[in-house]
Protein backbone atom coordinates (compact mmCIF):
# COMPACT_ATOMS: atom_id res chain seq x y z
CA UNK A 1 0.00 0.00 0.00
CA UNK A 2 2.76 2.44 0.89
CA UNK A 3 4.60 1.60 -2.36
CA UNK A 4 1.49 2.45 -4.38
CA UNK A 5 1.10 5.74 -2.52
CA UNK A 6 4.67 6.76 -3.30
CA UNK A 7 4.44 5.74 -6.94
CA UNK A 8 1.36 7.94 -7.41
CA UNK A 9 3.20 10.98 -6.08
CA UNK A 10 4.48 13.06 -9.00
CA UNK A 11 5.45 16.41 -7.40
CA UNK A 12 9.16 15.64 -7.40
CA UNK A 13 10.28 19.05 -6.16
CA UNK A 14 8.93 22.28 -4.69
CA UNK A 15 10.35 25.76 -5.20
CA UNK A 16 9.92 28.53 -2.65
CA UNK A 17 11.01 32.11 -3.28
CA UNK A 18 11.22 34.86 -0.69
CA UNK A 19 10.84 38.37 -2.06
CA UNK A 20 12.28 41.53 -0.59
CA UNK A 21 10.01 43.99 1.20
CA UNK A 22 8.37 46.66 -0.92
CA UNK A 23 7.27 50.05 0.41
CA UNK A 24 5.01 50.89 -2.53
CA UNK A 25 2.44 48.93 -4.52
CA UNK A 26 4.18 47.52 -7.57
CA UNK A 27 3.44 45.02 -10.31
CA UNK A 28 6.02 42.22 -10.22
CA UNK A 29 6.76 39.56 -12.83
CA UNK A 30 7.94 36.09 -11.88
CA UNK A 31 9.53 33.78 -14.47
CA UNK A 32 9.61 30.04 -13.76
CA UNK A 33 11.47 27.44 -15.82
CA UNK A 34 13.98 27.71 -18.63
CA UNK A 35 13.91 28.08 -22.39
CA UNK A 36 10.74 27.28 -24.26
CA UNK A 37 9.11 25.77 -21.17
CA UNK A 38 9.49 28.92 -19.09
CA UNK A 39 6.30 30.56 -17.83
CA UNK A 40 5.70 34.08 -16.61
CA UNK A 41 3.29 35.22 -13.92
CA UNK A 42 2.63 38.65 -12.49
CA UNK A 43 1.18 39.98 -9.27
CA UNK A 44 0.73 43.22 -7.34
CA UNK A 45 2.58 43.70 -4.09
CA UNK A 46 0.23 44.36 -1.15
CA UNK A 47 -0.46 47.92 -0.05
CA UNK A 48 1.17 49.37 3.03
CA UNK A 49 -0.70 49.00 6.30
CA UNK A 50 -3.12 51.93 6.47
CA UNK A 51 -6.18 52.28 8.75
CA UNK A 52 -8.24 53.89 5.98
CA UNK A 53 -7.10 51.67 3.12
CA UNK A 54 -9.95 50.23 1.07
CA UNK A 55 -9.41 46.56 0.24
CA UNK A 56 -11.48 43.65 -1.07
CA UNK A 57 -11.18 40.07 0.15
CA UNK A 58 -12.76 36.98 -1.38
CA UNK A 59 -13.77 34.19 1.00
CA UNK A 60 -13.83 30.57 -0.19
CA UNK A 61 -13.92 27.26 1.67
CA UNK A 62 -14.06 23.52 1.00
CA UNK A 63 -13.39 24.04 -2.69
CA UNK A 64 -12.34 20.64 -4.04
CA UNK A 65 -12.05 20.11 -7.80
CA UNK A 66 -15.44 19.53 -9.39
CA UNK A 67 -17.71 21.28 -11.87
CA UNK A 68 -19.18 23.27 -8.98
CA UNK A 69 -15.68 24.11 -7.74
CA UNK A 70 -14.90 25.57 -11.15
CA UNK A 71 -18.07 27.69 -11.09
CA UNK A 72 -17.13 29.06 -7.67
CA UNK A 73 -13.61 29.98 -8.77
CA UNK A 74 -14.78 31.54 -12.01
CA UNK A 75 -17.45 33.60 -10.26
CA UNK A 76 -14.86 34.83 -7.77
CA UNK A 77 -12.45 35.79 -10.54
CA UNK A 78 -15.17 37.80 -12.28
CA UNK A 79 -15.20 40.11 -9.28
CA UNK A 80 -12.66 42.53 -7.88
CA UNK A 81 -11.14 40.50 -5.05
CA UNK A 82 -7.51 41.30 -4.21
CA UNK A 83 -6.78 38.46 -1.76
CA UNK A 84 -8.59 35.21 -0.96
CA UNK A 85 -9.23 34.18 2.63
CA UNK A 86 -9.39 30.39 2.32
CA UNK A 87 -10.95 28.60 5.29
CA UNK A 88 -9.67 25.08 4.69
CA UNK A 89 -10.25 21.83 2.76
CA UNK A 90 -8.35 22.31 -0.47
CA UNK A 91 -7.85 19.35 -2.81
CA UNK A 92 -9.77 16.51 -1.09
CA UNK A 93 -6.95 14.21 -2.15
CA UNK A 94 -7.62 12.12 0.94
CA UNK A 95 -10.97 11.05 -0.54
CA UNK A 96 -9.15 9.05 -3.23
CA UNK A 97 -7.51 5.63 -2.83
CA UNK A 98 -4.23 5.80 -0.91
CA UNK A 99 -4.69 9.56 -0.44
CA UNK A 100 -3.71 10.05 -4.08
CA UNK A 101 -1.16 12.91 -4.07
CA UNK A 102 -1.70 13.50 -7.77
CA UNK A 103 -4.93 15.20 -6.68
CA UNK A 104 -2.83 17.84 -4.95
CA UNK A 105 -1.12 18.49 -8.29
CA UNK A 106 -4.36 18.71 -10.25
CA UNK A 107 -5.83 21.03 -7.63
CA UNK A 108 -2.77 23.25 -7.78
CA UNK A 109 -3.16 23.56 -11.55
CA UNK A 110 -6.88 24.19 -11.16
CA UNK A 111 -6.52 27.18 -8.81
CA UNK A 112 -3.38 28.53 -10.51
CA UNK A 113 -5.47 30.93 -12.59
CA UNK A 114 -5.97 32.88 -9.37
CA UNK A 115 -3.24 31.83 -6.94
CA UNK A 116 -0.47 32.70 -9.42
CA UNK A 117 -1.61 36.31 -9.56
CA UNK A 118 -2.86 37.22 -6.10
CA UNK A 119 -2.38 36.04 -2.50
CA UNK A 120 -4.45 33.31 -0.91
CA UNK A 121 -4.27 33.21 2.90
CA UNK A 122 -4.48 29.55 3.90
CA UNK A 123 -6.29 27.77 6.73
CA UNK A 124 -5.89 24.02 7.29
CA UNK A 125 -9.01 21.85 7.37
CA UNK A 126 -9.65 18.23 8.26
CA UNK A 127 -8.96 17.13 4.67
CA UNK A 128 -5.44 18.50 5.03
CA UNK A 129 -4.64 16.16 7.94
CA UNK A 130 -3.59 13.19 5.77
CA UNK A 131 -2.88 11.10 8.87
CA UNK A 132 -2.77 7.55 7.50
CA UNK A 133 -0.87 5.16 9.82
CA UNK A 134 -1.99 2.15 7.78
CA UNK A 135 -0.06 3.60 4.83
CA UNK A 136 2.93 4.53 6.96
CA UNK A 137 2.02 8.24 6.99
CA UNK A 138 2.11 9.35 10.64
CA UNK A 139 3.01 13.03 10.22
CA UNK A 140 -0.19 15.11 10.02
CA UNK A 141 -0.55 17.79 7.36
CA UNK A 142 2.54 16.66 5.40
CA UNK A 143 1.25 17.17 1.81
CA UNK A 144 -0.40 20.48 2.74
CA UNK A 145 2.58 21.95 4.60
CA UNK A 146 4.98 20.84 1.87
CA UNK A 147 3.07 22.86 -0.72
CA UNK A 148 1.60 25.87 1.04
CA UNK A 149 4.03 28.04 2.94
CA UNK A 150 2.84 30.89 5.16
CA UNK A 151 4.81 33.65 6.97
CA UNK A 152 4.14 32.31 10.45
CA UNK A 153 7.52 33.33 11.92
CA UNK A 154 6.62 36.98 11.34
CA UNK A 155 3.85 36.72 13.94
CA UNK A 156 6.00 34.81 16.47
CA UNK A 157 4.10 31.59 15.82
CA UNK A 158 5.80 28.25 16.30
CA UNK A 159 3.63 26.56 13.67
CA UNK A 160 2.45 27.36 10.13
CA UNK A 161 -1.00 26.11 11.18
CA UNK A 162 -1.71 29.25 13.22
CA UNK A 163 -0.40 32.70 12.40
CA UNK A 164 -1.44 36.27 11.69
CA UNK A 165 -0.88 38.64 8.80
CA UNK A 166 -1.60 42.32 8.14
CA UNK A 167 -3.15 43.34 4.87
CA UNK A 168 -4.08 46.98 4.16
CA UNK A 169 -6.45 47.95 7.02
CA UNK A 170 -7.05 44.37 8.22
CA UNK A 171 -5.37 42.17 10.80
CA UNK A 172 -6.08 38.52 9.97
CA UNK A 173 -5.65 35.71 12.49
CA UNK A 174 -5.60 32.10 11.26
CA UNK A 175 -6.35 29.35 13.79
CA UNK A 176 -6.07 25.56 13.54
CA UNK A 177 -9.17 23.54 14.41
CA UNK A 178 -7.12 20.32 14.32
CA UNK A 179 -4.18 21.26 16.53
CA UNK A 180 -4.17 21.35 20.32
CA UNK A 181 -5.91 24.49 21.60
CA UNK A 182 -6.46 23.84 25.31
CA UNK A 183 -5.10 26.25 27.88
CA UNK A 184 -1.27 26.26 28.04
CA UNK A 185 -0.91 24.72 24.58
CA UNK A 186 1.28 26.56 22.03
CA UNK A 187 -1.73 27.72 19.98
CA UNK A 188 -3.59 29.03 23.04
CA UNK A 189 -0.55 30.88 24.37
CA UNK A 190 0.19 32.33 20.93
CA UNK A 191 -3.37 33.63 20.47
CA UNK A 192 -3.30 35.30 23.89
CA UNK A 193 -0.09 37.14 23.03
CA UNK A 194 -0.99 37.86 19.43
CA UNK A 195 -4.25 39.59 20.33
CA UNK A 196 -2.25 41.95 22.55
CA UNK A 197 -0.20 42.99 19.53
CA UNK A 198 -3.18 44.15 17.49
CA UNK A 199 -3.17 47.94 17.06
CA UNK A 200 -6.63 48.99 15.86
CA UNK A 201 -5.25 52.46 15.12
CA UNK A 202 -3.19 50.87 12.33
CA UNK A 203 -5.30 47.84 11.40
CA UNK A 204 -8.88 48.59 12.52
CA UNK A 205 -10.42 45.44 11.01
CA UNK A 206 -9.84 42.26 13.02
CA UNK A 207 -10.74 39.04 11.15
CA UNK A 208 -10.37 35.42 12.29
CA UNK A 209 -10.19 32.35 10.04
CA UNK A 210 -10.69 28.76 11.18
CA UNK A 211 -12.16 25.61 9.72
CA UNK A 212 -14.71 24.02 12.05
CA UNK A 213 -17.48 26.58 12.78
CA UNK A 214 -18.38 27.57 16.33
CA UNK A 215 -21.98 28.45 15.43
CA UNK A 216 -23.73 26.12 13.02
CA UNK A 217 -27.44 25.30 12.78
CA UNK A 218 -26.86 22.54 10.23
CA UNK A 219 -26.97 18.90 11.27
CA UNK A 220 -23.75 18.33 9.32
CA UNK A 221 -20.71 18.51 11.65
CA UNK A 222 -23.02 19.87 14.34
CA UNK A 223 -21.10 21.18 17.40
CA UNK A 224 -17.74 19.83 16.23
CA UNK A 225 -16.21 23.23 16.93
CA UNK A 226 -17.76 23.55 20.40
CA UNK A 227 -14.70 22.74 22.50
CA UNK A 228 -12.58 25.25 20.59
CA UNK A 229 -15.30 27.88 20.99
CA UNK A 230 -15.31 27.33 24.75
CA UNK A 231 -11.55 27.89 24.88
CA UNK A 232 -11.26 30.91 22.59
CA UNK A 233 -14.57 32.76 22.29
CA UNK A 234 -14.15 35.00 25.34
CA UNK A 235 -10.79 36.18 24.00
CA UNK A 236 -12.31 37.11 20.65
CA UNK A 237 -15.18 38.99 22.26
CA UNK A 238 -12.81 40.88 24.57
CA UNK A 239 -10.68 41.82 21.55
CA UNK A 240 -13.78 43.01 19.64
CA UNK A 241 -13.14 40.79 16.63
CA UNK A 242 -15.25 41.98 13.70
CA UNK A 243 -15.96 38.75 11.83
CA UNK A 244 -15.06 35.04 12.01
CA UNK A 245 -15.03 32.94 8.83
CA UNK A 246 -15.23 29.12 8.94
CA UNK A 247 -15.82 26.26 6.50
CA UNK A 248 -16.30 22.52 7.06
CA UNK A 249 -20.11 22.54 6.76
CA UNK A 250 -21.02 22.38 3.07
CA UNK A 251 -23.60 25.12 3.10
CA UNK A 252 -23.79 28.83 3.85
CA UNK A 253 -24.80 30.56 7.08
CA UNK A 254 -24.34 34.02 8.61
CA UNK A 255 -25.14 34.91 12.20
CA UNK A 256 -25.98 38.11 14.02
CA UNK A 257 -23.42 39.40 16.51
CA UNK A 258 -23.68 36.78 19.25
CA UNK A 259 -21.76 35.23 22.11
CA UNK A 260 -22.11 32.37 24.57
CA UNK A 261 -19.59 33.20 27.28
CA UNK A 262 -21.69 33.64 30.42
CA UNK A 263 -21.82 29.98 31.48
CA UNK A 264 -19.99 29.12 34.72
CA UNK A 265 -21.63 25.75 35.66
CA UNK A 266 -23.62 27.35 38.49
CA UNK A 267 -25.68 29.90 36.55
CA UNK A 268 -26.81 27.63 33.70
CA UNK A 269 -26.53 30.46 31.15
CA UNK A 270 -25.53 28.35 28.17
CA UNK A 271 -27.40 29.84 25.22
CA UNK A 272 -26.13 32.23 22.53
CA UNK A 273 -27.26 35.81 23.11
CA UNK A 274 -27.05 38.94 21.00
CA UNK A 275 -23.89 40.82 21.90
CA UNK A 276 -22.83 43.94 20.00
CA UNK A 277 -19.23 43.42 21.16
CA UNK A 278 -19.11 39.96 19.59
CA UNK A 279 -18.16 38.96 16.04
CA UNK A 280 -20.40 38.06 13.14
CA UNK A 281 -19.87 34.37 12.33
CA UNK A 282 -19.95 33.14 8.74
CA UNK A 283 -19.87 29.49 7.67
CA UNK A 284 -18.84 29.25 4.03
CA UNK A 285 -17.87 25.63 3.38
CA UNK A 286 -19.79 25.76 0.11
CA UNK A 287 -16.99 25.95 -2.44
CA UNK A 288 -18.15 22.98 -4.50
CA UNK A 289 -16.45 19.81 -3.26
CA UNK A 290 -17.49 16.33 -4.42
CA UNK A 291 -19.12 15.41 -1.10
CA UNK A 292 -22.08 17.61 -1.99
CA UNK A 293 -24.22 20.07 -0.07
CA UNK A 294 -25.29 19.85 3.57
CA UNK A 295 -29.01 20.58 3.34
CA UNK A 296 -30.27 19.39 6.74
CA UNK A 297 -30.67 22.57 8.76
CA UNK A 298 -32.24 22.37 12.20
CA UNK A 299 -35.77 23.73 12.49
CA UNK A 300 -36.89 26.24 13.48
CA UNK A 301 -34.06 28.54 12.47
CA UNK A 302 -32.29 29.74 15.66
CA UNK A 303 -32.61 33.40 16.64
CA UNK A 304 -28.86 33.85 16.28
CA UNK A 305 -28.91 32.78 12.62
CA UNK A 306 -29.47 35.70 10.23
CA UNK A 307 -29.33 33.86 6.89
CA UNK A 308 -28.67 30.28 5.81
CA UNK A 309 -28.92 28.30 2.60
CA UNK A 310 -27.59 25.03 1.17
CA UNK A 311 -26.03 26.28 -2.06
CA UNK A 312 -22.51 26.46 -3.47
CA UNK A 313 -20.88 29.86 -3.72
CA UNK A 314 -18.32 32.32 -2.39
CA UNK A 315 -18.32 35.58 -0.44
CA UNK A 316 -16.69 39.00 -0.65
CA UNK A 317 -15.71 41.52 2.01
CA UNK A 318 -15.22 45.04 0.71
CA UNK A 319 -13.54 47.17 3.36
CA UNK A 320 -14.44 50.76 2.58
CA UNK A 321 -12.64 52.60 5.41
CA UNK A 322 -11.92 52.16 9.10
CA UNK A 323 -15.60 52.19 10.07
CA UNK A 324 -17.57 50.28 7.41
CA UNK A 325 -17.29 47.20 5.23
CA UNK A 326 -19.76 45.61 2.83
CA UNK A 327 -20.04 41.83 3.10
CA UNK A 328 -21.95 39.74 0.54
CA UNK A 329 -22.39 36.14 -0.59
CA UNK A 330 -22.77 34.90 -4.17
CA UNK A 331 -24.83 31.81 -4.99
CA UNK A 332 -23.49 29.73 -7.91
CA UNK A 333 -26.98 28.67 -9.00
CA UNK A 334 -27.75 32.19 -10.17
CA UNK A 335 -25.54 31.56 -13.22
CA UNK A 336 -23.51 34.66 -12.56
CA UNK A 337 -22.11 36.41 -9.55
CA UNK A 338 -25.01 38.22 -7.90
CA UNK A 339 -25.60 39.01 -4.23
CA UNK A 340 -27.85 36.48 -2.48
CA UNK A 341 -27.03 37.74 1.03
CA UNK A 342 -25.44 41.02 2.06
CA UNK A 343 -24.91 43.15 5.14
CA UNK A 344 -22.98 46.25 6.11
CA UNK A 345 -20.46 45.49 8.86
CA UNK A 346 -19.67 48.27 11.31
CA UNK A 347 -16.17 48.16 12.75
CA UNK A 348 -16.20 47.05 16.38
CA UNK A 349 -13.45 49.41 17.48
CA UNK A 350 -14.09 52.58 15.48
CA UNK A 351 -17.86 52.73 15.13
Amino acid sequence: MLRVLKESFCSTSFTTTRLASFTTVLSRTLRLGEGGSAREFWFWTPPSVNPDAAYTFGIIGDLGQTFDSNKTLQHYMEGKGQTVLFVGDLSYADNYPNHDNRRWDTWGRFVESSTAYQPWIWTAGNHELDFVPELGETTPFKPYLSRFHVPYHASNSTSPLWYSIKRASAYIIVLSSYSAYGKYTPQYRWLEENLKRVDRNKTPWLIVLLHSPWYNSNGYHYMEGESMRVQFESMLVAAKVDIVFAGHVHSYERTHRISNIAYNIVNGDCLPVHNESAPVYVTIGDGGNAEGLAAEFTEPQPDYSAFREASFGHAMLEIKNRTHALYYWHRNDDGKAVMADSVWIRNQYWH
Side-chain angles (χ1 to χ4, degrees), residues 23-42:
T23 57
T24 57
V25 177
L26 300 169
S27 176
R28 311 298 298 182
T29 300
L30 184 65
R31 184 179 178 86
L32 299 177
E34 298 178 353
S37 62
R39 304 174 67 201
E40 284 192 356
F41 303 95
W42 61 268

Side-chain angles (χ1 to χ4, degrees), residues 12-132:
T12 56
S13 64
F14 302 102
T15 300
T16 302
T17 301
R18 175 173 292 182
L19 302 179
S21 298
F22 301 101
T23 57
T24 57
V25 177
L26 300 169
S27 176
R28 311 298 298 182
T29 300
L30 184 65
R31 184 179 178 86
L32 299 177
E34 298 178 353
S37 62
R39 304 174 67 201
E40 284 192 356
F41 303 95
W42 61 268
F43 61 93
W44 290 94
T45 58
S48 300
V49 171
N50 182 335
D52 289 306
Y55 202 79
T56 301
F57 293 100
I59 305 98
I60 300 175
D62 300 68
L63 186 59
Q65 40 194 314
T66 68
F67 175 78
D68 291 302
S69 311
N70 187 56
K71 287 176 66 176
T72 297
L73 185 61
Q74 291 303 313
H75 282 182
Y76 166 70
M77 292 174 61
E78 290 170 6
K80 51 187 176 181
Q82 295 167 273
T83 290
V84 169
L85 306 178
F86 195 89
V87 292
D89 283 0
L90 287 70
S91 71
Y92 286 80
D94 62 336
N95 278 0
Y96 295 86
N98 302 317
H99 288 226
D100 189 348
N101 269 249
R102 290 172 296 185
R103 291 292 174 171
W104 280 102
D105 299 328
T106 57
W107 193 82
R109 288 190 285 271
F110 162 55
V111 297
E112 183 184 76
S113 56
S114 177
T115 58
Y117 302 98
Q118 63 175 223
W120 283 40
I121 297 176
W122 303 105
T123 310
N126 57 300
H127 285 279
E128 279 69 73
L129 274 163
D130 281 295
F131 178 70
V132 205

Side-chain angles (χ1 to χ4, degrees), residues 170-324:
Y171 194 102
I172 300 154
I173 294 175
V174 177
L175 299 176
S176 177
S177 298
Y178 304 101
S179 302
Y181 45 73
K183 196 168 185 178
Y184 312 120
T185 61
Q187 183 172 198
Y188 186 101
R189 292 174 60 184
W190 174 83
L191 180 60
E192 273 190 315
E193 292 302 313
N194 195 255
L195 286 171
K196 296 175 185 177
R197 298 175 60 189
V198 180
D199 185 349
R200 305 294 281 271
N201 291 295
K202 296 179 179 178
T203 50
W205 291 94
L206 185 51
I207 301 167
V208 173
L209 312 181
L210 47 88
H211 186 63
S212 188
W214 296 354
Y215 290 96
N216 163 37
S217 66
N218 195 297
Y220 193 62
H221 297 310
Y222 184 63
M223 291 189 73
E224 286 187 16
E226 182 67 4
S227 59
M228 189 183 200
R229 181 196 65 77
V230 170
Q231 290 290 345
F232 286 165
E233 184 180 18
S234 59
M235 283 193 273
L236 270 56
V237 173
K240 292 186 178 295
V241 168
D242 293 292
I243 189 163
V244 176
F245 292 110
H248 199 37
V249 178
H250 301 161
S251 62
Y252 171 75
E253 186 166 16
R254 173 178 59 84
T255 74
H256 299 290
R257 292 197 182 279
I258 52 167
S259 68
N260 186 3
I261 56 176
Y263 181 67
N264 64 6
I265 298 180
V266 176
N267 61 22
D269 292 336
C270 57
L271 294 174
V273 296
H274 289 270
N275 183 345
E276 289 304 313
S277 294
V280 171
Y281 292 87
V282 173
T283 299
I284 189 156
D286 59 349
N289 68 85
E291 294 177 353
L293 290 166
E296 297 183 6
F297 286 104
T298 59
E299 296 294 346
Q301 184 172 354
D303 290 340
Y304 67 76
S305 177
F307 185 97
R308 59 184 189 172
E309 183 175 313
S311 295
F312 291 126
H314 76 282
M316 304 290 286
L317 180 68
E318 293 185 13
I319 295 176
K320 303 298 186 180
N321 50 43
R322 72 178 66 193
T323 61
H324 287 81

